[in-house]
DNA sequence: TTGAAAGCGCTAACAG
DNA sequence: CTGTTAGCGCTTTCAA
C-alpha cells in the first residue's frame, strides 16, 4: 500500500535542517534572491534530503495567484471540446500557465459541483455560455476572471468567443437549399441552447422556398443516440432530402444506422452536422459539416482570459468567429422530383 | 471589462454582518452544527447578501482534503484517454469527489509542470505509468495517493491498472497469423514505452512462422502522422500483407492515405490498430483493433484510488484487464501466395 | 449554543 | 545577506 503516508516536509522543516529562517528558505526555493554560497549549499541539501516541494495552496493564499487557468467543457468525448482545449492549452502554455480541465458531462444540474472543483484553484476560467444561470452568477460573485465560449452570450460584462450558431445554421441551410433539398429533418438536442439557434438559422435559409421541416430531439448529443433515433427519422413519412443533426456525433450515428438499414447516403438522403470534427473526414461517406472553429475558439478565449487576468482594461469583446460549410460526400444535389 | 474585481467576501465579512464569530459562520456554512433560529436567519441573510462562498484553499490547508481527485492524461484528443476519463469520472462522482483533468500533451519533458498544476490540489492522482521517472519520484515524495494506469508498471508499492501490452500484441499477431499474413509492417511510436511491448508481442505470435516484419516509427500517435507515413510504408518494397499501427489513430491515418492512393483495404492489405476507440467502427472499412479497455481501466483505477485515499491497507494490486481482438472489416485472409 | 484563540504552510514587508 | 513579524481565510479544540 502506498508508502507509509509520511507528512510532507514543510518550509519550516527545511529551515530547521538548514539552520536558517523560513523567510530565507522561501526566497531560496522561489529563486527570488541569492545567498552566500555556503547557505545556498545547506539550503539545497536540506531541500533535496527532505524531498521538499512548495505547497501551492499555502502559497496561493498569500499571493492570490495559482499559476493555473481552467476550462470547463461539457463533454470530454466530444471532439469539439477537445479541440477547444487544445487551442486554449497552447496559448496558456505560452504564458507559462497550466491548464486544468473539468468535464461537466453535459450535466446541467444547477449545483454543478464541477465549478466548485476549479473554483479558486485557478486564476481564471473559460466556461460555456450554456452553463445554467445560477452557476454563472456564483462565478461572478467570486470575482474570478472569466471568459465565455459559445455565442451568443448574454453576459455583456464579460468577453465571449465563438461562432454564431444562428449564422451557422443559415449557412448550412443555404448549402442544402442550393442542392435542391426541400424536405428536411433536423435532429436537435434541446439540452443545448445552441441547438435551437442552429435550427432557426436553418429555417431562415429557406424563407421563400417551400421548406418542409420535421424536428426531432435527441436525449444526448452522441453517436449512439444518433444511431438510436436514425431509424425513426429515416423510416417515417418517406425519405427526406436531407437530415441535419445538431452536431457531427449525432450525424455520424445517423450515417451508421442508414448503412445498416441499407439506405444510401448521399444518393437517397443527404446528412450533415455541425462542428466539423476531425473524424468527419474519416467516415464514409465523409461528412458535410459546418466548422465551428473549436480550436480557434479555445485559443482566442484563452488570449482574452490572459488579458483579463493581467488586468487589461479593454472593453469586453464579443468575438464572433467565422464558421464555414465544409461540403464533403454526405450531401449531394437531389434530382428534381417528378411532381405527380 | 469584468466587473470591478471586488475582493470576494470572507468568513470574517459574514461574521461581522451577522454579528457572530467566525467559528459560528464556519460551522454554519459547513452544516456542522445547528444554531438558534434567529442566528441562523441572520447567518443565511449575510451569506446571501454578500454572495459568500468558502475558499477551498484556505479550507484545504487545514483539513488536508480538497474533495478533488485528478487524472493526468497524455493526449486529450485521443479517445483512449477520454474513455479512461469517463470511467474514472463515473466512479469519482459516485464517491462525491470531483475529477479534474490535466493534459500532458504527450510531452515527456521531465519537468512536467502539468503535475505541478494538480499537485496538492487533489486528494489523489491517477497517472500514466509512462510518465518520466523523475516526475514520478517527485510525486512519491509528496505522499499523494497515486494509482497508475497502463501495464506494466514498475512501481510495486502502488496500484496499477491496465491491459498488458505484450499480451495484446500477441493477440493481434495471432489474429493476423491465422489470416495467413506473414509480411507485416509495424508503425510504432517510440515515444511510448507501450509501443515496443506491443511490437514484441506481435513478434512472439509469429514464432515458428516465417514472419517478415518491418518497423517504422511515428513522431506522434495521431491520424495526421499515420497519414503522413502511410505512403512510405505502402509504397516501399511491395505491399505488405498487413500493417499494424501502435494505435487506432495512426491506423486510421493509414486507412485514409491508402484510400487516396487507391490501395484497397483489406483486399490488398490489412490494417489494424490498438485501443478500439469508438470511431473505429465508423470508418470505412471498419477498423480491426485490440480493445485496451480504456473505460474499464479508468473505472478500476479510480476505485483503487478511493481505497488508497480512504487509507485501506490492502496490498497494492497490479490489475491486468483482459484485452481482446475486435475483428472488423479492415483485416481479411490473404489468398496463399503462389510461390515462384 | 456560541466564541476565543491557536494555528495550517507560506510570503511580504521591514529591519538589522 | 538574513531574520522578524504579521497575516492570507479557514477549522478546531476548548471554554464559557
Amino acid at each position: 500500500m502506498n508508502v507509509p503516508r509520511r507528512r510532507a516536509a514543510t518550509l519550516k522543516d527545511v529551515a530547521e535542517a538548514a539552520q536558517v529562517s523560513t523567510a530565507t528558505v522561501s526566497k531560496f526555493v522561489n529563486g527570488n534572491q541569492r545567498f552566500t554560497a555556503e547557505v545556498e549549499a545547506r539550503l539545497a541539501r536540506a531541500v533535496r534530503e527532505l524531498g521538499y516541494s512548495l505547497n501551492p495552496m499555502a502559497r496561493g493564499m498569500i499571493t492570490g495567484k495559482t499559476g493555473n487557468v481552467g476550462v470547463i467543457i461539457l463533454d470530454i468525448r466530444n471532439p469539439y471540446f477537445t479541440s477547444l482545449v487544445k487551442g486554449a492549452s497552447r496559448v496558456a502554455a505560452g504564458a507559462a500557465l497550466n491548464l486544468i480541465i473539468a468535464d461537466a458531462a453535459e450535466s446541467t444540474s444547477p449545483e454543478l459541483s464541477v465549478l466548485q472543483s476549479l473554483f479558486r484553484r485557478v486564476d481564471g476560467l473559460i466556461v460555456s455560455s450554456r452553463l445554467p444561470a445560477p452557476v454563472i452568477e456564483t462565478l461572478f460573485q467570486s470575482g474570478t476572471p472569466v471568459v465565455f465560449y459559445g455565442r451568443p452570450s448574454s453576459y455583456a460584462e464579460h468577453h465571449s468567443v465563438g461562432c454564431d450558431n444562428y449564422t451557422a445554421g443559415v449557412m448550412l441551410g443555404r448549402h442544402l437549399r442550393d442542392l435542391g433539398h426541400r424536405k428536411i429533418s433536423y435532429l436537435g438536442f434541446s439540452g443545448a441552447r445552441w441547438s435551437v439557434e442552429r435550427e432557426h438559422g436553418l429555417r431562415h435559409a429557406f424563407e421563400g422556398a417551400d421548406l418542409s421541416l420535421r424536428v426531432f430531439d435527441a436525449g444526448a448529443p452522441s453517436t449512439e443516440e444518433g444511431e438510436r433515433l436514425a431509424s425513426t427519422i429515416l423510416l417515417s413519412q418517406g425519405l427526406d432530402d436531407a437530415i441535419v443533426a445538431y452536431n457531427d456525433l449525432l450525424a455520424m450515428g445517423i450515417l451508421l444506422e442508414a448503412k445498416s438499414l441499407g439506405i444510401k447516403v448521399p444518393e437517397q438522403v443527404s446528412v450533415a452536422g455541425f462542428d466539423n470534427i476531425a473524424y468527419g473526414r474519416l467516415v464514409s461517406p465523409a461528412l458535410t459539416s459546418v466548422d465551428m472553429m473549436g480550436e480557434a475558439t479555445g485559443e482566442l478565449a484563452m488570449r482574452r482570459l490572459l488579458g483579463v487576468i493581467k488586468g487589461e482594461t479593454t472593453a469586453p469583446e464579443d468575438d464572433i468567429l467565422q464558421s464555414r460549410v465544409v461540403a464533403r460526400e454526405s450531401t449531394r444535389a437531389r434530382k428534381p422530383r417528378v411532381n405527380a
Side-chain angles (χ1 to χ4, degrees), chain A residues 23-57:
Chain A
T24 300
V25 183
S26 172
K27 288 164 193 154
F28 176 72
V29 297
N30 285 297
N32 287 336
Q33 198 181 304
R34 302 303 311 253
F35 300 88
T36 55
E38 206 247 322
V39 171
E40 293 204 343
R42 285 199 332 251
L43 245 10
R45 183 150 167 281
V47 166
R48 188 165 9 89
E49 290 188 348
L50 274 54
Y52 175 73
S53 68
L54 273 169
N55 183 329
M57 300 182 73

Coordinates of all heavy atoms in Angstrom, one line a residue, chain A residues 23-57:
Chain A
A23 N 11.9 32.5 6.1 CA 11.9 33.5 5.0 C 13.0 33.3 4.0 O 12.8 33.4 2.8 CB 12.0 34.9 5.6
T24 N 14.1 32.9 4.5 CA 15.2 32.6 3.7 C 14.9 31.4 2.8 O 15.2 31.5 1.6 CB 16.5 32.3 4.5 OG1 16.8 33.4 5.3 CG2 17.7 32.0 3.6
V25 N 14.4 30.4 3.3 CA 14.0 29.2 2.5 C 13.1 29.6 1.4 O 13.2 29.3 0.3 CB 13.4 28.1 3.4 CG1 13.2 26.9 2.5 CG2 14.3 27.8 4.6
S26 N 12.1 30.4 1.8 CA 11.1 30.8 0.9 C 11.7 31.5 -0.3 O 11.4 31.2 -1.5 CB 10.1 31.8 1.6 OG 9.2 32.3 0.6
K27 N 12.6 32.5 0.0 CA 13.2 33.2 -1.1 C 14.1 32.3 -1.9 O 14.1 32.5 -3.1 CB 14.0 34.4 -0.5 CG 13.2 35.5 0.1 CD 14.1 36.4 1.0 CE 13.2 37.3 1.8 NZ 13.9 37.7 3.1
F28 N 14.7 31.4 -1.3 CA 15.6 30.5 -2.0 C 14.8 29.6 -3.0 O 15.1 29.5 -4.1 CB 16.4 29.6 -1.0 CG 17.2 28.6 -1.7 CD1 18.4 29.0 -2.4 CD2 16.9 27.3 -1.6 CE1 19.2 28.0 -3.0 CE2 17.7 26.3 -2.2 CZ 18.8 26.7 -2.9
V29 N 13.8 28.9 -2.4 CA 13.1 28.0 -3.3 C 12.3 28.7 -4.4 O 12.1 28.1 -5.5 CB 12.1 27.1 -2.5 CG1 12.9 26.2 -1.6 CG2 11.1 27.9 -1.8
N30 N 12.0 30.0 -4.2 CA 11.3 30.7 -5.2 C 12.3 31.4 -6.2 O 11.9 32.0 -7.2 CB 10.4 31.7 -4.7 CG 9.2 31.1 -4.1 OD1 8.4 30.5 -4.8 ND2 9.0 31.2 -2.8
G31 N 13.6 31.2 -5.8 CA 14.6 31.9 -6.7 C 14.5 33.4 -6.7 O 14.9 34.0 -7.7
N32 N 14.0 33.9 -5.6 CA 13.8 35.4 -5.6 C 15.1 36.1 -5.1 O 15.1 37.3 -5.2 CB 12.7 35.7 -4.6 CG 11.3 35.4 -5.2 OD1 11.2 35.3 -6.4 ND2 10.4 35.1 -4.4
Q33 N 16.0 35.4 -4.6 CA 17.1 36.1 -4.0 C 18.3 35.1 -3.9 O 18.1 33.9 -3.7 CB 16.8 36.6 -2.6 CG 17.7 37.7 -2.1 CD 17.2 38.1 -0.7 OE1 16.1 38.5 -0.5 NE2 18.1 38.1 0.2
R34 N 19.5 35.7 -4.0 CA 20.7 34.8 -3.9 C 21.3 35.0 -2.5 O 21.0 36.0 -1.8 CB 21.8 35.3 -4.9 CG 21.4 35.2 -6.3 CD 20.9 33.8 -6.7 NE 21.8 32.8 -6.3 CZ 22.6 32.1 -7.1 NH1 22.6 32.4 -8.4 NH2 23.5 31.2 -6.7
F35 N 21.9 33.9 -2.1 CA 22.5 33.9 -0.7 C 24.0 33.5 -0.8 O 24.5 33.2 -1.9 CB 21.8 33.0 0.2 CG 20.3 33.4 0.3 CD1 19.4 32.9 -0.5 CD2 19.9 34.2 1.3 CE1 18.1 33.2 -0.4 CE2 18.6 34.6 1.5 CZ 17.7 34.1 0.6
T36 N 24.7 33.6 0.3 CA 26.1 33.1 0.2 C 26.2 31.7 -0.2 O 25.3 30.9 0.1 CB 26.8 33.3 1.6 OG1 26.0 32.6 2.5 CG2 26.9 34.7 2.0
A37 N 27.2 31.4 -0.8 CA 27.4 30.0 -1.4 C 27.2 29.0 -0.3 O 26.5 28.0 -0.5 CB 28.8 29.8 -2.0
E38 N 27.7 29.3 0.9 CA 27.6 28.3 2.0 C 26.2 28.1 2.4 O 25.7 26.9 2.5 CB 28.4 28.9 3.2 CG 28.9 27.8 4.1 CD 28.2 27.8 5.4 OE1 28.0 29.0 5.9 OE2 28.0 26.8 6.0
V39 N 25.4 29.1 2.5 CA 24.0 29.0 2.9 C 23.2 28.3 1.8 O 22.4 27.4 2.0 CB 23.4 30.4 3.1 CG1 21.9 30.3 3.3 CG2 24.0 31.0 4.3
E40 N 23.5 28.7 0.6 CA 22.8 28.0 -0.5 C 23.0 26.5 -0.6 O 22.1 25.7 -0.9 CB 23.2 28.7 -1.9 CG 22.7 30.1 -2.0 CD 22.5 30.6 -3.4 OE1 23.1 29.9 -4.3 OE2 21.8 31.6 -3.6
A41 N 24.3 26.2 -0.3 CA 24.6 24.7 -0.3 C 23.8 24.0 0.8 O 23.2 23.0 0.5 CB 26.1 24.6 0.0
R42 N 23.7 24.6 2.0 CA 22.9 24.0 3.1 C 21.5 23.9 2.7 O 20.8 22.9 2.9 CB 23.1 24.8 4.3 CG 24.4 24.6 5.0 CD 24.5 25.1 6.5 NE 23.6 26.1 6.9 CZ 23.9 27.4 7.2 NH1 25.2 27.7 7.1 NH2 23.1 28.2 7.7
L43 N 21.0 25.0 2.1 CA 19.6 25.0 1.6 C 19.3 23.9 0.6 O 18.4 23.1 0.8 CB 19.4 26.4 1.0 CG 18.4 27.4 1.6 CD1 18.0 27.0 3.0 CD2 19.1 28.8 1.6
A44 N 20.2 23.9 -0.4 CA 20.0 22.9 -1.5 C 20.0 21.5 -0.9 O 19.1 20.6 -1.2 CB 21.1 23.0 -2.5
R45 N 20.9 21.2 0.0 CA 21.0 19.9 0.6 C 19.7 19.5 1.4 O 19.2 18.5 1.2 CB 22.2 19.9 1.5 CG 22.5 18.6 2.1 CD 24.0 18.4 2.4 NE 24.2 17.3 3.3 CZ 24.0 17.3 4.6 NH1 23.7 18.4 5.2 NH2 24.3 16.2 5.3
A46 N 19.3 20.5 2.2 CA 18.1 20.2 3.0 C 16.9 19.9 2.2 O 16.1 19.0 2.4 CB 17.8 21.4 3.9
V47 N 16.7 20.8 1.1 CA 15.6 20.6 0.2 C 15.7 19.2 -0.4 O 14.7 18.5 -0.4 CB 15.6 21.6 -0.9 CG1 14.7 21.2 -2.0 CG2 15.3 23.0 -0.4
R48 N 16.8 18.8 -0.9 CA 17.0 17.5 -1.5 C 16.7 16.4 -0.5 O 15.9 15.5 -0.8 CB 18.4 17.4 -2.1 CG 18.6 16.2 -2.9 CD 19.8 16.3 -3.8 NE 20.7 17.4 -3.4 CZ 21.7 17.3 -2.5 NH1 21.9 16.2 -1.8 NH2 22.4 18.4 -2.2
E49 N 17.3 16.5 0.6 CA 17.2 15.4 1.6 C 15.7 15.2 2.1 O 15.3 14.1 2.3 CB 18.1 15.5 2.7 CG 19.6 15.3 2.2 CD 20.5 15.3 3.4 OE1 20.1 15.7 4.5 OE2 21.7 14.9 3.2
L50 N 15.1 16.3 2.2 CA 13.7 16.2 2.7 C 12.7 16.0 1.6 O 11.5 15.8 1.8 CB 13.4 17.5 3.5 CG 13.7 17.5 5.0 CD1 15.2 17.1 5.2 CD2 13.4 18.8 5.6
G51 N 13.2 16.1 0.4 CA 12.3 15.9 -0.7 C 11.2 17.0 -0.7 O 10.1 16.8 -1.0
Y52 N 11.7 18.2 -0.4 CA 10.7 19.3 -0.2 C 10.2 19.8 -1.5 O 10.9 20.0 -2.5 CB 11.4 20.4 0.6 CG 10.5 21.6 0.7 CD1 9.4 21.5 1.6 CD2 10.7 22.7 -0.1 CE1 8.5 22.6 1.7 CE2 9.8 23.8 0.0 CZ 8.7 23.7 0.9 OH 7.9 24.8 1.0
S53 N 8.9 20.1 -1.5 CA 8.3 20.9 -2.5 C 7.3 21.8 -2.0 O 6.5 21.5 -1.0 CB 7.8 20.0 -3.6 OG 6.6 19.4 -3.2
L54 N 7.2 23.0 -2.5 CA 6.3 24.0 -2.0 C 4.8 23.5 -2.0 O 4.4 22.8 -2.9 CB 6.3 25.3 -2.9 CG 7.4 26.3 -2.6 CD1 7.4 27.3 -3.8 CD2 7.0 27.0 -1.4
N55 N 4.1 24.0 -1.0 CA 2.7 23.8 -1.0 C 2.0 24.9 -1.7 O 1.9 26.0 -1.2 CB 2.2 23.7 0.4 CG 0.7 23.3 0.5 OD1 0.0 23.7 -0.3 ND2 0.3 22.6 1.6
P56 N 1.5 24.6 -2.9 CA 0.9 25.7 -3.7 C -0.4 26.3 -3.1 O -0.7 27.5 -3.4 CB 0.6 25.0 -5.0 CG 0.5 23.5 -4.7 CD 1.4 23.3 -3.6
M57 N -1.0 25.6 -2.3 CA -2.2 26.2 -1.7 C -1.9 27.3 -0.7 O -2.4 28.4 -0.7 CB -3.0 25.1 -1.0 CG -3.5 24.0 -1.9 SD -4.5 22.8 -1.0 CE -6.0 23.8 -0.8

